[in-house]
Amino acid sequence: MKKDNVLTDMNNGLVTIDTFKNILADFFKYAVINWNSGNFYTVYASNSKNNLLSFLSNMTPALTPNQFVHTDLPVALLNLNKNEIKYRVIKEVIKEK
């Protein structure tokens, strides 16, 4: 019973990315999908392009194992070009012995 309720409620709450994008466009000018794993997404949206790009520039790219990635990230949803999105690069520090 509980399993059926959870799956039914989850299924009833699902929307397509296009539907979600259209809803976002009613409230925000810029949006990007930053993370994806299956049916789960992290989306950041703002009315300020500079603030959104600045926020993303302080983040690293998503660290999801490849087998769970179904979309080439990031995805520019609203009024952004994928080439504008720059993430912070973490350089590996090798300690000498």
Side-chain angles (χ1 to χ4, degrees):
M1 182 73 170
K2 182 176 180 179
K3 179 181 174 183
D4 292 336
N5 287 344
V6 169
L7 294 176
T8 300
D9 289 348
M10 236 170 73
N11 189 49
N12 290 340
L14 291 177
V15 296
T16 66
I17 290 297
D18 284 337
T19 299
F20 189 70
K21 178 180 172 179
N22 291 334
I23 293 167
L24 275 177
D26 290 340
F27 299 96
F28 299 101
K29 190 169 182 180
Y30 306 97
V32 60
I33 296 173
N34 184 65
W35 176 83
N36 163 255
S37 183
N39 288 332
F40 300 95
Y41 295 84
T42 298
V43 176
Y44 296 103
S46 177
N47 286 316
S48 169
K49 181 178 183 177
N50 289 338
N51 285 350
L52 182 57
L53 292 175
S54 176
F55 175 76
L56 292 170
S57 75
N58 286 294
M59 300 177 72
T60 61
L63 301 174
T64 308
N66 289 337
Q67 67 264 31
F68 300 110
V69 177
H70 305 290
T71 305
D72 186 24
L73 299 171
V75 176
L77 284 180
L78 296 174
N79 300 310
L80 290 173
N81 180 312
K82 185 173 180 169
N83 296 329
E84 295 177 288
I85 303 166
K86 307 290 183 202
Y87 291 112
R88 181 170 55 112
V89 177
I90 297 177
K91 296 179 182 178
E92 185 176 337
V93 177
I94 300 173
K95 294 181 181 182
E96 293 184 29
K97 292 183 179 182

